[in-house]
Amino acid sequence: MRKFKKVLDGLTAVSSASSSSQPGNRENDIPESLQSEHFQLCKTVRHGFPYQPSAMAFDPVQKILSIGTQNGGLRLFGRPGVECYCQHDSGAAVIQLQFLINEGALVSALADDSIHLWNLRQKRPAILHSLKFNRERITFCHLPFQSKWLYVGTERGNIHIVNVESFTLSGYVIMWNKAIELSSKSHPGPVVHISDNPMDEGKLLIGFESGTVVLWDLKSKKADYRYNYDEAIHSVAWHHEGKQFICSHSDGTLTIWNVKSPAKPAQIITPHGKQPKDGKKPEPCKPILKVEYKTTRAGDPFMILSGGLSYDTIGRRPCLTVMHGKSTAVLEMDYPIVDFLTLCETPYPNDFQEPYAVVVLLEKDLVVIDLAQNGYPIFENPYPLSIHESPVTCCEYFSDCPVDIIPALYSVGARQKRQGYSKKEWPISGGNWGLGNQCYPEIIITGHADGSVKFWDASAIMLQVLYKLKTAKVFEKSRNKEDKPSTDIVDEDPFAIQILSWCPESRMLCVAGVSAHVIIYKFSKQEVTTEVVQLLEVRLQYELNDVDSPDVDQIPPLPTPGASSNPQPPAPQSHPSTSSSSSDGLRDNVPCLKVRSTPLKQSAGYQVELVIQLVWVSGEPPQQITSLAVNSSYGLVVFGNSNGLAIVDYLQKTVLLNLGTVELYGSNDPYQRQPRSPRKTRQPSGAGLCDINEGSTTSEDRCKSPTSDIRDNSFSRSRSSSVTSIDKESREAITSLQFGETYTRKTDSATAPSLWVGTSLGTVVVIVLNLPPPGEQRLLQPVIVSPSGTLIRLKGAILRMSFLDSTGMLFAPPYESWREPNAPEDKDEKDKQRKRRPASVSPSSSQEICENQYAVICSEKQAKVIALPSQNCIYKHNITETSFVLRADIVQMSNSICLACFCANGHIMTLSLPSLRPLLDVNYLPLTDMRIARTFCFTNNGQALYLVSPTEIQRITYSQETCENLQEMLGELFTPVETPEAPNRGFFKGLFGGGAQSLDREELFGESVAGKASRSLAQHIPGPGGIEGMKGAASGVVGELARARIALDERGQKLGELEERTAAMMASADSFSKHAHDVRSDADH
């Protein structure tokens, strides 16, 4: 009903707007094909490193890795391209994960003392059962291979047993006081370890935090042996023969115990301790947080441990230690270690383990080490986990790119890869790709705090890095710490990228950085050495600083707009100035960063064409850039900030226009402005750019739109397009720029190249561009720019402008197709005379001037459609009264177009074009931080994305068709695989795994013998489980399209075989309790 009411509101808004427009307008002539039923919102996939990881598990048969996070997230990884994200509703931290090996299921234990069973046999995993403990806190879980009984250890030192099939508690409990009996007078502390003896499932090894270990006999319900050591235990691991186990301790020691000799350890090792000569105990070291003990048939066992370094290694990076025979390798990591797992050839704990790799989960990275190669090289990580290598400060999303752009970026990016990786295949190789049916190329570009720009292939709900550009290379490096890059206007990250402008067709790239600099790049496949980096310095100042003359009329007006004589632009300042201070000693004419003076070797890829820097003006630092646009057909780049606007001809390397915002109006200025007081010279760091970093809990108020009253006109005054914080003066920032071939004045009978400029006070000014003929003339004659006098007003800062032709279709600004810039000049005349590509076929050439074009303008508050050349507003829609729009894009969808908006109150809306009918309005995501505000963007084909955490990109779709097809596109996590044969037996039909002594756990733990557990201990919660296609569920699995660089033929053959095997398996997928037996019996047939 709410949605319906919204649509009615929209209709009344439209009708009232239409009625005021001129009779005879042609709004009814344009049929609109998009309807509300074409729109639906759902999450598609999440990419990047799991933010704040806390736990990890691996299924050695399915070869799937799972990672849990501190906010209850769950990420599953298979072969490159098979990836999935799920979320526990409570948001509690995941403390432990356990696969039901080769069953397509996973148990998660959370910090809120709940355990959950996930079904991985569906494309979007879901919880089948949950169990919430009421009286005890969970500290450790253990699920033996091929068992349905899960041991749960608690903070009180007790162990409960859960039936994984029914998710009910057994009446069998191991109480702490029974376990330790008289061996200690005090409480042994929480359970930190549980495992069964690999050779005897009837014996359970229990480790207590205080240092006590107990070997419990499950049948006789008493302890066989107790092992005491006076240092706290962090982890315990068995030798596969079940005669020895190893403990890691808080003083950096390892104790090895013979099972039958509990009096003292067989051996005490301090891997990183300095051994004193007098035979005393070595100095204590840092705790060894985890140890694994893995055997090999052909040689020495591996002991792998994290932590344990000596206390005098201050400043040393976290390490993983691999002890093998007499050699000890200390592998340094870039971040603290959260957990590690050794990958072994067998799932059976009572066989030689044959370890081949170690997966190390770090706080901000995932590293896999090859144990079989000398020097322990790491595997090249195929997942897109490096999004946050430097914090993301902005991003853009391009759907439906030219088909040649991904191969071009891939080929230049391939040369950037580092060497020295393991030669082996990536060991996490489970799952199967989905059958993606969208085959248009998609690219995501991320800008980063260190000035780097990354291009990602995002086609078919995958993500793969293609190419990385380091923009900081064009600036001088600081020689020492004192001589940091001049941080005049930002406290740190002086190279951080604020805005990206990219033209996929011409491959021109333009970036604006936080130090008020703009860099223009061309794409080349050839390496080049640039002797001198071309530099332009621009003085962009706010002119109303004459405090003594508050009379607004004193501002010199521009030449009358529309006058026949086009004014010449001010002479460009094309040479870097040498003066560094004005006569009164204030800093003047100095840029914030120093461009390098030595030759710059530029690899194939993006190469610097021109650097533009704003300079200090009379002691005032340059203001950060708030909007940016580049046009390859015109050879122009334009940018603005809260002071004004500059247009640069990057072919001739000259400044064409450099005007304060006020001067853009000439005598038409609608505002009475107060002179301003001198400003403080320092700005907040990066305008808050890197509050995207972790730990920034930004309050919602950061995104409130501050209002400043300008006399009678009360306009919403907001952040710039990059959501920077605006000072409360009545400055007018440039917030939106759009090139196009448009009618610039009401009297125009033909379109002309133009630039539309939108400001933070809701004004649109149109500038006419008079370009010389293409070819040689273009490089010799000046481009003449002149304001047209056209003024359009909206409520709120202008965010987006686009143009439609007479049929209501979007027409993009003209562009020039890419050509190799470093190719030798061809003397061919045709090449010289290459023409600008026309924007679109001129709609109607009839004599009468009819409404030939439409300008679509969207501000923070409303959208308008203006007919051109008459400049009548034919449609108007007030998007939001109480909030404000953060991002608006005019996008193509289903052979039509619409306006997509993301509001600060979390609503995502789409409006039809040109009539601005509301089509979708979903309260999707209350905006809680600046990260989402800065990174949210829409693109064509119903796609959108934002940075959901400092390390992850969340992609969503607002297309109903994509939501429907998502199931097909997603990959399969579970694939039918035969469980390997148990060791030491030719063929095996036992009910439970291959221990020499197996145990009928059903008899011990079942209700008939053990009775029921206390009802108040834990409550069972059935999960939403099997609903396969829960639309909009907060999860997604990545499928992979068959693309050129992934072996097509191999995949084609495998798919056929897989479909048959999957069909055979489907029957067993719903009856979860029979999985283990069904898999084996199916496999036997």
Side-chain angles (χ1 to χ4, degrees):
M1 187 60 209
R2 230 175 67 217
K3 192 167 180 182
F4 182 64
K5 182 178 181 306
K6 187 86 185 174
V7 173
L8 283 177
D9 292 347
L11 287 173
T12 50
V14 167
S15 55
S16 60
S18 307
S19 59
S20 64
S21 62
Q22 289 188 348
N25 72 43
R26 302 180 55 194
E27 73 252 36
N28 301 326
D29 294 2
I30 299 177
E32 293 178 357
S33 57
L34 286 178
Q35 302 299 330
S36 292
E37 56 266 25
H38 292 123
F39 294 89
Q40 182 184 338
L41 201 68
C42 72
K43 294 182 181 178
T44 50
V45 63
R46 185 175 290 207
H47 302 296
F49 182 76
Y51 182 54
Q52 295 181 326
S54 53
M56 177 170 64
F58 183 70
D59 184 325
V61 181
Q62 285 287 321
K63 299 208 174 339
I64 295 280
L65 181 78
S66 67
I67 294 175
T69 71
Q70 288 178 29
N71 64 0
L74 188 61
R75 289 285 285 282
L76 294 137
F77 295 93
R79 64 176 59 194
V82 174
E83 203 184 307
C84 166
Y85 160 73
C86 322
Q87 177 69 42
H88 294 90
D89 290 340
S90 68
V94 178
I95 54 173
Q96 207 177 344
L97 294 168
Q98 293 255 298
F99 276 99
L100 277 68
I101 293 172
N102 206 21
E103 300 282 7
L106 175 77
V107 171
S108 56
L110 269 54
D112 65 356
D113 310 306
S114 61
I115 53 174
H116 307 269
L117 179 68
W118 288 85
N119 177 11
L120 310 183
R121 291 185 174 223
Q122 54 190 55
K123 289 189 169 185
R124 293 194 147 186
I127 292 174
L128 289 167
H129 299 281
S130 300
L131 195 62
K132 178 89 166 68
F133 281 73
N134 297 323
R135 297 199 305 239
E136 296 195 53
R137 310 225 60 181
I138 298 171
T139 54
F140 193 88
C141 297
H142 169 61
L143 180 69
F145 179 41
Q146 294 183 322
S147 161
K148 69 173 186 182
W149 297 97
L150 172 76
Y151 300 107
V152 179
T154 70
E155 199 171 43
R156 287 191 187 173
N158 303 326
I159 292 177
H160 301 278
I161 300 168
V162 176
N163 180 329
V164 174
E165 287 173 3
S166 60
F167 245 55
T168 51
L169 277 172
S170 164
Y172 191 119
V173 182
I174 303 170
M175 302 300 285
W176 69 269
N177 51 353
K178 270 288 195 50
I180 66 161
E181 269 184 6
L182 302 173
S183 65
S184 157
K185 291 200 168 65
S186 57
H187 188 278
V191 174
V192 294
H193 177 82
I194 309 169
S195 60
D196 39 339
N197 183 323
M199 284 296 179
D200 187 349
E201 294 175 342
K203 310 286 189 195
L204 200 64
L205 195 69
I206 306 163
F208 296 96
E209 191 179 68
S210 64
T212 300
V213 178
V214 172
L215 188 67
W216 181 262
D217 185 313
L218 287 164
K219 280 184 184 165
S220 64
K221 299 187 185 176
K222 63 181 199 312
D224 280 358
Y225 299 103
R226 298 183 181 89
Y227 314 83
N228 290 303
Y229 190 71
D230 55 5
E231 289 292 340
I233 292 176
H234 282 277
S235 75
V236 185
W238 279 102
H239 184 286
H240 84 271
E241 288 172 349
K243 293 173 185 167
Q244 272 192 336
F245 61 88
I246 185 169
C247 302
S248 77
H249 298 277
S250 56
D251 64 344
T253 57
L254 297 171
T255 53
I256 299 177
W257 301 80
N258 290 329
V259 169
K260 295 190 173 171
S261 310
K264 65 178 180 40
Q267 199 180 351
I268 300 175
I269 308 167
T270 312
H272 296 285
K274 293 189 180 69
Q275 296 293 337
K277 294 198 172 73
D278 52 10
K280 287 183 181 167
K281 271 179 87 173
E283 294 169 17
C285 292
K286 294 174 186 172
I288 295 175
L289 300 175
K290 183 172 183 179
V291 63
E292 292 206 334
Y293 195 14
K294 302 296 180 187
T295 52
T296 59
R297 268 192 179 78
D300 295 305
F302 281 86
M303 253 188 248
I304 301 164
L305 53 114
S306 61
L309 294 179
S310 72
Y311 280 100
D312 60 10
T313 52
I314 289 164
R316 185 152 177 198
R317 295 193 295 181
C319 292
L320 186 83
T321 306
V322 181
M323 299 165 73
H324 183 227
K326 294 201 169 82
S327 80
T328 299
V330 180
L331 309 174
E332 287 199 336
M333 302 291 155
D334 289 339
Y335 304 103
I337 296 171
V338 176
D339 196 3
F340 72 88
L341 293 170
T342 311
L343 307 190
C344 300
E345 296 291 354
T346 177
Y348 293 94
N350 60 341
D351 196 3
F352 283 99
Q353 296 296 287
E354 306 296 350
Y356 59 89
V358 185
V359 181
V360 191
L361 178 62
L362 308 175
E363 277 183 8
K364 295 186 182 180
D365 202 0
L366 181 75
V367 175
V368 183
I369 296 158
D370 184 349
L371 286 180
Q373 242 174 287
N374 282 342
Y376 304 133
I378 65 169
F379 288 86
E380 183 176 7
N381 196 321
Y383 306 138
L385 301 183
S386 63
I387 290 168
H388 62 290
E389 189 177 14
S390 166
V392 176
T393 49
C394 62
C395 61
E396 292 295 337
Y397 190 4
F398 299 86
S399 177
D400 234 352
C401 299
V403 288
D404 56 351
I405 188 71
I406 287 178
L409 287 164
Y410 183 75
S411 66
V412 293
R415 303 174 206 179
Q416 299 178 326
K417 293 213 167 150
R418 52 174 268 204
Q419 304 301 308
Y421 289 112
S422 166
K423 305 282 187 290
K424 293 210 188 108
E425 288 287 305
W426 181 248
I428 303 160
S429 55
N432 273 307
W433 294 314
L435 301 170
N437 61 350
Q438 58 190 89
C439 48
Y440 45 83
E442 296 181 77
I443 283 182
I444 293 169
I445 308 179
T446 50
H448 300 264
D450 64 356
S452 60
V453 176
K454 286 182 183 171
F455 289 78
W456 305 82
D457 177 2
S459 317
I461 64 172
M462 260 208 74
L463 195 69
Q464 179 175 359
V465 71
L466 290 169
Y467 171 74
K468 178 180 174 182
L469 167 68
K470 294 178 180 172
T471 66
K473 278 186 175 172
V474 305
F475 299 105
E476 291 284 4
K477 281 212 176 87
S478 52
R479 298 279 180 280
N480 53 39
K481 281 190 178 159
E482 281 66 52
D483 184 27
K484 267 184 160 168
S486 168
T487 53
D488 290 320
I489 63 170
V490 289
D491 297 329
E492 52 190 23
D493 296 324
F495 308 118
I497 305 293
Q498 258 183 315
I499 312 175
L500 296 159
S501 177
W502 185 56
C503 171
E505 288 80 12
S506 67
R507 305 185 189 171
M508 290 294 298
L509 172 70
C510 207
V511 301
V514 80
S515 296
H517 62 277
V518 170
I519 314 176
I520 302 161
Y521 289 90
K522 282 187 173 170
F523 184 85
S524 171
K525 292 183 176 177
Q526 298 172 17
E527 192 175 279
V528 69
T529 298
T530 306
E531 294 301 321
V532 180
V533 174
Q534 295 277 309
L535 169 66
L536 276 180
E537 291 183 351
V538 178
R539 285 172 74 89
L540 200 55
Q541 65 191 104
Y542 187 58
E543 289 303 331
L544 285 180
N545 55 357
D546 188 358
V547 183
D548 300 328
S549 62
D551 190 356
V552 185
D553 300 329
Q554 297 299 310
I555 304 159
L558 282 177
T560 316
S564 55
S565 64
N566 277 336
Q568 282 287 359
Q573 180 192 335
S574 53
H575 302 290
S577 54
T578 47
S579 81
S580 63
S581 62
S582 55
S583 52
D584 51 6
L586 296 171
R587 295 186 78 167
D588 196 43
N589 268 8
V590 190
C592 299
L593 296 172
K594 196 166 179 215
V595 171
R596 65 186 287 158
S597 49
T598 51
L600 175 64
K601 185 179 165 190
Q602 305 204 68
S603 310
Y606 275 100
Q607 297 171 351
V608 182
E609 177 77 4
L610 178 63
V611 178
I612 306 163
Q613 288 183 290
L614 295 184
V615 294
W616 284 68
V617 177
S618 311
E620 175 162 331
Q623 295 296 297
Q624 288 175 353
I625 290 159
T626 53
S627 55
L628 173 72
V630 64
N631 186 285
S632 56
S633 176
Y634 303 159
L636 301 180
V637 66
V638 57
F639 56 92
N641 62 11
S642 59
N643 283 342
L645 175 81
I647 303 178
V648 170
D649 178 340
Y650 66 75
L651 299 175
Q652 293 187 29
K653 316 275 189 286
T654 55
V655 182
L656 299 175
L657 184 77
N658 175 5
L659 280 181
T661 320
V662 180
E663 297 170 290
L664 282 173
Y665 291 101
S667 54
N668 296 343
D669 190 355
Y671 306 110
Q672 295 184 1
R673 298 169 199 265
Q674 294 298 319
R676 48 157 210 158
S677 54
R679 294 187 69 248
K680 295 193 184 99
T681 57
R682 199 161 182 85
Q683 282 184 212
S685 159
L689 252 196
C690 293
D691 54 16
I692 279 182
N693 268 316
E694 299 93 301
S696 69
T697 48
T698 337
S699 68
E700 210 164 330
D701 321 30
R702 284 293 294 280
C703 270
K704 295 280 191 293
S705 182
T707 33
S708 75
D709 270 316
I710 298 162
R711 293 295 162 103
D712 303 305
N713 308 315
S714 169
F715 277 107
S716 151
R717 170 81 186 201
S718 85
R719 308 124 332 282
S720 69
S721 57
S722 63
V723 203
T724 52
S725 48
I726 287 265
D727 36 311
K728 294 289 198 295
E729 303 170 29
S730 62
R731 287 199 178 194
E732 185 170 10
I734 307 292
T735 53
S736 181
L737 296 162
Q738 183 68 42
F739 287 103
E741 304 268 328
T742 66
Y743 296 103
T744 57
R745 300 179 180 92
K746 289 185 182 181
T747 54
D748 282 359
S749 57
T751 59
S754 63
L755 170 66
W756 290 53
V757 181
T759 77
S760 56
L761 295 188
T763 305
V764 177
V765 176
V766 183
I767 294 174
V768 184
L769 309 171
N770 198 332
L771 298 156
E776 207 163 311
Q777 295 288 322
R778 173 64 185 85
L779 301 176
L780 300 173
Q781 294 184 25
V783 176
I784 296 168
V785 297
S786 54
S788 66
T790 295
L791 270 183
I792 296 164
R793 304 268 304 280
L794 275 77
K795 191 176 164 189
I798 306 295
L799 297 180
R800 186 73 61 205
M801 300 177 282
S802 273
F803 307 108
L804 314 184
D805 65 17
S806 59
T807 65
M809 289 313 290
L810 189 67
F811 69 90
Y815 58 81
E816 197 161 86
S817 293
W818 178 79
R819 295 182 323 137
E820 173 55 65
N822 296 325
E825 276 301 312
D826 191 354
K827 296 284 179 282
D828 191 354
E829 266 313 294
K830 274 191 291 185
D831 198 27
K832 286 258 170 154
Q833 293 301 324
R834 50 181 212 281
K835 293 271 192 285
R836 289 202 316 274
R837 175 187 179 281
S840 66
V841 180
S842 183
S844 148
S845 54
S846 60
Q847 290 307 303
E848 49 165 341
I849 292 188
C850 49
E851 310 292 25
N852 277 336
Q853 280 181 344
Y854 302 95
V856 180
I857 305 170
C858 183
S859 78
E860 295 179 314
K861 292 288 189 180
Q862 60 181 189
K864 283 186 179 180
V865 175
I866 311 287
L868 299 178
S870 74
Q871 297 181 15
N872 291 330
C873 172
I874 58 167
Y875 294 106
K876 181 173 99 176
H877 178 70
N878 291 328
I879 299 168
T880 171
E881 294 297 334
T882 54
S883 183
F884 54 96
V885 179
L886 283 165
R887 175 77 185 213
D889 289 287
I890 286 110
V891 291
Q892 293 176 314
M893 194 171 127
S894 309
N895 301 318
S896 191
I897 53 167
C898 64
L899 170 64
C901 302
F902 173 55
C903 277
N905 60 10
H907 281 251
I908 289 177
M909 308 176 192
T910 60
L911 303 169
S912 73
L913 286 174
S915 71
L916 299 176
R917 279 179 302 118
L919 297 170
L920 173 80
D921 183 352
V922 176
N923 187 2
Y924 171 68
L925 162 114
L927 181 80
T928 49
D929 59 23
M930 295 295 287
R931 181 191 315 112
I932 297 170
R934 202 184 320 285
T935 57
F936 198 103
C937 47
F938 297 96
T939 186
N940 295 336
N941 301 318
Q943 309 290 336
L945 66 78
Y946 58 94
L947 218 69
V948 68
S949 76
T951 62
E952 297 163 289
I953 286 174
Q954 177 69 55
R955 285 163 76 176
I956 61 176
T957 182
Y958 47 97
S959 151
Q960 195 268 341
E961 187 186 359
T962 307
C963 289
E964 300 253 306
N965 295 331
L966 194 55
Q967 240 6 60
E968 287 170 36
M969 295 157 66
L970 300 176
E972 302 273 1
L973 278 171
F974 180 77
T975 48
V977 181
E978 203 165 329
T979 303
E981 279 192 351
N984 312 330
R985 295 197 193 178
F987 101 118
F988 167 62
K989 284 194 173 172
L991 186 58
F992 296 100
Q997 298 290 317
S998 67
L999 168 80
D1000 188 344
R1001 296 187 179 94
E1002 185 69 48
E1003 193 179 300
L1004 272 179
F1005 306 146
E1007 200 176 303
S1008 54
V1009 175
K1012 285 186 176 178
S1014 158
R1015 275 185 143 176
S1016 60
L1017 187 61
Q1019 66 191 99
H1020 175 259
I1021 305 155
I1027 309 164
E1028 169 75 288
M1030 283 185 66
K1031 288 177 185 158
S1035 60
V1037 186
V1038 181
E1040 162 58 326
L1041 243 198
R1043 281 212 305 269
R1045 37 173 205 284
I1046 296 173
L1048 290 172
D1049 48 350
E1050 174 190 324
R1051 185 173 166 214
Q1053 293 159 11
K1054 285 188 178 161
L1055 275 174
E1057 300 161 20
L1058 173 74
E1059 277 166 6
E1060 291 166 24
R1061 281 158 64 207
T1062 310
M1065 287 301 299
M1066 285 317 274
S1068 68
D1070 48 357
S1071 56
F1072 197 83
S1073 59
K1074 305 209 302 284
H1075 283 168
H1077 318 303
D1078 286 3
V1079 174
R1080 275 195 288 279
S1081 56
D1082 281 7
D1084 291 341
H1085 303 318

